[in-house]
Amino acid sequence: MDILVLGGGGREHALCWKLRQSERTGRLVCAPGNAGIAAVAECVDLDITDVAAVTAFVRANTIGLVVVGPEGPLVAGVVDALRGLGIPAFGPTAAAAQLEGSKGFTKDLCRAAGIPTAGYRRFKSAASAHHYVAVHPLPVVVKADGLAGGKGVTVAETNEEGLAALADIDGPVVIEQCLSGPEASLFVLTDGKTISIWPSAQDHKRAFDDDTGPNTGGMGVVSPSPRLTDALRDQAIETIIKPTLKALAEAGTPYTGVLYAGLMLTPQGPQLIEYNCRFGDPEAQALMLRLDGDLVEILLACAEGRLHEAAASWSAETAVTVVYAAMGYPGAPITGTVIDEVEAAEALGVQVFHAGTRRNAAGKLVAAGGRVLAISALGHDVGEARSLAYAAIRKIRWHGGFYRRDIGRV
Ligand code: AMP
Ligand code: GLY
């Protein structure tokens, strides 16, 4: 079967790496891909949020399955259009992707269904939220309602900071109460009928060690999450995931694909922080390392509404992924710097997934984005996986990058 993957980050490299291992995979195409993906798939230049461009490509080729990596094409309606053509596509429709596309939509759904989440108010504009933020008890959480590429959230310790965050938002906003507790990420696959529970993960969102510095898309991951016990996971499935899927099904917009719940583990039990309608990045890198099943069969079964037929099994080992980012990230990253000795890292038995990489004119690997590499290792426990991931990352010769030294330790 010929497969098209949309996206070009570390998540998509991990997906392509796993799809390539399936005997069912014929031609594997990735748009736009990156220098690492080019080793396992054919990279094509395509505007993946342009629904017409994606459907034209799929029609002109013999694509039997489309796997959507990032949220942009989902919210734009790529899955709706492909289904209209009878092409199996992994991911939710635009209506169901509102779970990530609009924080206000999700908060309203949670309120109506009694799903545990922080108290909130929606405002049509930043200006109309001004007074509310100025007098809100602290800390106050200020969020842009729409997609913001992981940068639309501020947890403000002062009302002035909250107002400054508000001033940066163009469009509707959601103001929330601040929850506290450890965070965990929970992943489930669903075809609208069957729910398949995937391993959990713990992200490290701040740029620097000891959870300091600005928020990023994620600087490293441990899977499974050391905090989400089976009992807490089951509680989150019953009180958060199932009522959400029920509400969407009752609204006539059933959810299909992977649902990624960001949870806060509070003394009152798990509460929903946010939903994403895709795999996490770098969570997918850790998950793919632990997956023993056939990813083509699983994603195709999910897209075709027969998820109950596809068995996923998981390595009991722990995965640790450490992100190697370009200096300047999450602000303006310095790109174009040369990266050497990736092979020496891989020789230790880790997977080095590429995110923002390309080859320069001389064929050298160079940084081409904020997050650049995701070094992913398995071990019998988190300590062993950490040791291996860090031993490998130290083999890489790159002067333009930085990474956190404490992934899996905090
Ligand atoms: P998000 O982009 O929604 O994942 O938010 C980014 C981060 O902001 C989360 O991982 C949390 O650490 C934090 N956050 C979001 N909402 C809240 C909240 N209501 N209370 C406390 N922290 C929050
Ligand atoms: N690592 C966080 C995310 O993918 O949203």
Side-chain angles (χ1 to χ4, degrees):
M1 169 175 288
D2 294 348
I3 302 170
L4 172 65
V5 176
L6 302 184
R11 166 183 50 212
E12 288 76 23
H13 189 186
L15 291 170
C16 285
W17 171 77
K18 198 69 200 175
L19 290 167
R20 180 84 274 169
Q21 290 171 18
S22 168
E23 286 178 0
R24 300 194 59 172
T25 302
R27 192 176 160 214
L28 182 60
V29 185
C30 185
N34 61 38
I37 294 174
V40 290
E42 183 188 327
C43 298
V44 297
D45 205 12
L46 195 63
D47 177 358
I48 60 171
T49 53
D50 179 342
V51 176
V54 173
T55 52
F57 181 88
V58 167
R59 289 171 104 160
N61 293 271
T62 50
I63 303 295
L65 171 67
V66 178
V67 179
V68 187
E71 60 278 14
L74 297 166
V75 171
V78 160
V79 168
D80 309 58
L82 291 167
R83 290 220 183 122
L85 296 174
I87 309 284
F90 177 79
T93 59
Q98 284 304 297
L99 280 186
E100 177 166 359
S102 166
K103 294 187 192 296
F105 170 88
T106 299
K107 297 301 274 188
D108 288 353
L109 182 149
C110 287
R111 183 177 278 167
I115 292 168
T117 187
Y120 72 104
R121 267 188 66 178
R122 300 180 73 171
F123 295 89
K124 288 202 171 63
S125 66
S128 57
H130 194 277
H131 177 70
Y132 189 74
V133 171
V135 301
H136 194 284
L138 297 170
V140 55
V141 182
V142 178
K143 299 187 175 185
D145 192 349
L147 288 184
K151 289 181 186 150
V153 176
T154 301
V155 180
E157 303 293 339
T158 65
N159 294 98
E160 291 68 32
E161 208 186 316
L163 290 173
L166 204 55
D168 280 342
I169 299 176
D170 191 21
V173 295
V174 176
I175 310 299
E176 289 182 18
Q177 289 171 344
C178 190
L179 301 173
S180 61
E183 292 181 40
S185 305
L186 176 60
F187 297 87
V188 301
L189 254 65
T190 178
D191 58 1
K193 303 181 287 275
T194 302
I195 299 175
S196 166
I197 301 173
W198 277 40
S200 62
Q202 186 187 337
D203 198 1
H204 298 65
K205 284 199 192 248
R206 300 298 193 102
F208 309 130
D209 285 4
D210 301 317
D211 285 334
T212 57
N215 254 317
T216 70
M219 292 298 292
V221 151
V222 179
S223 173
S225 155
R227 315 285 187 121
L228 192 72
T229 60
D230 287 355
L232 286 174
R233 179 200 64 197
D234 292 346
Q235 193 181 347
I237 296 285
E238 293 304 322
T239 61
I240 298 174
I241 303 285
K242 283 187 179 170
T244 300
L245 297 178
K246 182 164 175 274
L248 286 174
E250 283 172 1
T253 54
Y255 192 92
T256 55
V258 57
L259 182 60
Y260 157 4
L263 304 175
M264 188 82 82
L265 306 178
T266 75
Q268 291 75 40
Q271 302 228 11
L272 180 71
I273 303 173
E274 61 155 4
Y275 276 128
N276 296 306
C277 58
R278 50 169 176 83
F279 285 113
D281 187 343
E283 288 88 337
Q285 290 87 314
L287 259 48
M288 290 306 135
L289 220 54
R290 296 185 60 212
L291 175 61
D292 285 330
D294 180 327
L295 187 61
V296 174
E297 180 50 28
I298 294 166
L299 300 187
L300 185 65
C302 187
E304 292 182 335
R306 45 178 191 83
L307 186 58
H308 63 281
E309 292 176 11
S313 59
W314 303 95
S315 158
E317 291 191 299
T318 298
V320 168
T321 293
V322 180
V323 169
Y324 212 160
M327 234 73 102
Y329 177 75
I334 298 165
T335 58
T337 49
V338 173
I339 305 162
D340 278 318
E341 302 291 336
V342 169
E343 299 74 15
E346 286 170 330
L348 295 186
V350 302
Q351 292 300 322
V352 178
F353 294 116
H354 292 221
T357 63
R358 64 176 175 82
R359 299 262 166 208
N360 68 10
K364 285 274 195 191
L365 191 68
V366 297
R371 291 185 293 174
V372 174
L373 298 172
I375 291 77
S376 304
L378 285 174
H380 289 112
D381 56 27
V382 63
E384 197 181 289
R386 280 192 77 215
S387 301
L388 182 55
Y390 281 107
I393 206 167
R394 284 194 295 269
K395 296 276 179 201
I396 297 174
R397 293 281 151 252
W398 179 27
H399 294 301
F402 75 98
Y403 56 87
R404 278 180 62 159
R405 320 249 156 187
D406 61 350
I407 303 304
R409 208 178 65 212
V410 289

